[in-house]
Amino acid sequence: MSEAVTRVQVGGTAGTDPYEVLIGRQLLGELGTLIGEKAKRVAVIHPEALADTGEALRADLAEQGFEAVAIQVPNAEEAKTAEVAAYCWKALGQSGFTRTDVIVGVGGGATTDLAGFVAATWLRGVRWIAVPTTVLAMVDAAVGGKTGINTAEGKNLVGAFHPPAGVLCDLAALDSLPVHDYVSGLAEIIKAGFIADPVILDLIESDPEAARTPAGPHTAELIERSIRVKAEVVSGDLKESGLREILNYGHTLAHAIEKNERYKWRHGAAVSVGMHFAAELGRLAGRLDDATADRHRTILESVGLPLSYRYDQWPKLVENMKVDKKSRGDLLRFIVLDGLAKPTVLEGPDPAVLLAAYGEVGE
Ligand SMILES: NC(=O)c1ccc[n+]([C@@H]2O[C@H](COP(=O)([O-])OP(=O)(O)OC[C@H]3O[C@@H](n4cnc5c(N)ncnc54)[C@H](O)[C@@H]3O)[C@@H](O)[C@H]2O)c1
Ligand SMILES: O=C(O)C(=O)C[C@@H](O)[C@H](O)[C@H](O)COP(=O)(O)O
Ligand SMILES: [Zn+2]
């Protein structure tokens, strides 16, 4: 018997089409319905690590009568390149993909970012469905319609806002995820806790060791709460004209680190260091109380996320941060907290304060 399915609605305001995020188990039966009757062809974009899943999905869709192709892409950030996007476009062209056909992105956030970007750009936009298979992709990447790829100059510099037609979070997928990747996803869950839903922090703090695995007692609740935070924010501001920037908490430094590491670090690990930095920045800018700033350190450390990065890299990180999407002209902008669950923008902080905050993070 299948377990209960939770449905979270996203969008439906300001002229955007609403869609649902489904959270549960054995959800793949929903895929055919979501794809719809208008589609003749379906392309399943999946990473190498999920070759079997990708092929099983393709075969199942073929059995349902679709002309289904599987497009295998590299694992992780190696998939988020212009070359891999071009490879996908070629596969779509060769299979005669039209505007009524549908892309399915199955994998972690790197795969769903790429699949969504390919869907946004093919024929100027076709429908796509996200099937996230990492905790990070479930709680963040697959929801909200930010799609994109990296360039040598920076993280996610090319992309489009192109929401999916639906998101299927099958919790069973998490069982095969290496612990390192599971824990990396906790960074975005903790982010949702600090910016909007402190119950998330309480649940993790009640048993940090258990929070490190999908078998933990609060897994489904942590995932659902984080999705609800994201859904509420992006429903109010799809294109990041204001409110949505709060989802970038910790990301200004995180993306600078990822670029500096040539995209070999996991995103969640970089976000962890980035949130530690943002907390210290908030504290030194006189915005954030000591207890909440210290709480960042303890909770991130308790689940095994990193807090530090190389001190000598600061000048390069500052250069990298200049292309952050929140920058305006020469003005660096950061999301900081005025208090727990009170995110705000800090514009053009004094370089001495920035360096002092990094002094707490650098090793
Ligand atoms: N669009 C957004 O709003 C948004 C939000 C947050 C993060 N992101 C992006 O998401 C990406 C990070 O995503 P991620 O943390 O999911 O990493 P990832 O996509 O790089 O996946 C990590 C690794 O796990 C493998 N994998 C995926 N599912 C698996 C499973 N069930 N079992 C075993 N292996 C599996 C992948 O192939 C990869 O090797 C970054 O590129 C980040 O920029 C986007
Ligand atoms: O959805 C958003 O908006 C976010 O900022 C969520 C982030 O977790 C995510 O990493 C996003 O891809 C970052 O976006 P970017 O615009 O800074 O590239
Ligand atoms: Zn992120």
Side-chain angles (χ1 to χ4, degrees), residues 41-43 67 69 71 89-98 101:
R41 301 175 190 83
V42 181
E67 276 176 31
V69 291
I71 305 177
W89 293 324
K90 187 169 183 172
L92 297 180
Q94 288 177 346
S95 62
F97 224 72
T98 71
D101 298 327

Side-chain angles (χ1 to χ4, degrees), residues 47 49-50 75-77 80 107-111 113 133-134 136-137 140-141 143 146-147 155-156 173-174 176-178 181 184 188 230 244 251 255 258 266-267:
L50 298 181
N75 288 323
E77 298 295 314
K80 285 180 61 169
T111 311
D113 274 14
T133 60
T134 64
L136 188 144
D140 201 338
V143 183
K146 262 191 187 179
T147 73
K155 177 89 180 170
N156 299 340
L174 301 178
S176 62
L177 201 57
D181 281 307
S184 157
E188 300 279 23
K230 177 126 193 193
R244 186 169 182 159
H251 281 61
H255 284 170
E258 287 185 78
R266 283 290 186 259
H267 177 68

